[in-house]
Amino acid sequence: MFKDTHTFCKTCENYQKFYIGQKVLLYNSRLHLFPRKLRSRWSGLFIEKHVYPYGAFDIENPKNGNVCKVNGHRLKVYFDNFSVENDSIELGDPVYKD
């Protein structure tokens, strides 16, 4: 059953797809010196350089130009210029019944 649901998840349309030149975040799972709530596990801003057919990616650090190969499961898309709309709801005065 797990195999069937896992296969469905990989083939559905909402699965993340990466392309060359896209900005991504990298999941840092190596060092846990601090508690989880104080430090984010997603690090840096990296740029996709090469996509391999078996799920690996070459990413480049734009700060120093280092290129490394990582597994695709450790990447998450970085949304640049993401706007947040602030919607406000006005609450009326409460009505108390005796």
Side-chain angles (χ1 to χ4, degrees), residues 16-19 22-25 42 75-80:
Q16 282 186 344
K17 295 183 180 178
F18 300 104
Y19 54 89
Q22 186 177 20
K23 296 179 181 177
V24 294
L25 298 173
W42 295 97
L75 297 177
K76 179 168 69 169
V77 178
Y78 175 77
F79 293 107
D80 200 17

Side-chain angles (χ1 to χ4, degrees), residues 9-78:
C9 180
K10 292 283 187 178
T11 59
C12 69
E13 295 177 6
N14 294 332
Y15 185 67
Q16 282 186 344
K17 295 183 180 178
F18 300 104
Y19 54 89
I20 296 174
Q22 186 177 20
K23 296 179 181 177
V24 294
L25 298 173
L26 178 66
Y27 184 75
N28 185 7
S29 62
R30 297 197 179 221
L31 295 175
H32 301 294
L33 300 176
F34 301 106
R36 294 179 187 169
K37 293 184 180 180
L38 297 178
R39 192 183 88 182
S40 175
R41 290 188 175 202
W42 295 97
S43 62
L45 178 64
F46 299 95
I47 299 173
E48 293 284 332
K49 285 297 178 185
H50 187 267
V51 179
Y52 293 99
Y54 49 86
F57 297 92
D58 280 341
I59 58 173
E60 178 186 8
N61 188 350
K63 294 178 183 174
N64 55 14
N66 290 344
V67 177
C68 63
K69 186 185 287 188
V70 296
N71 189 354
H73 295 303
R74 295 181 59 199
L75 297 177
K76 179 168 69 169
V77 178
Y78 175 77

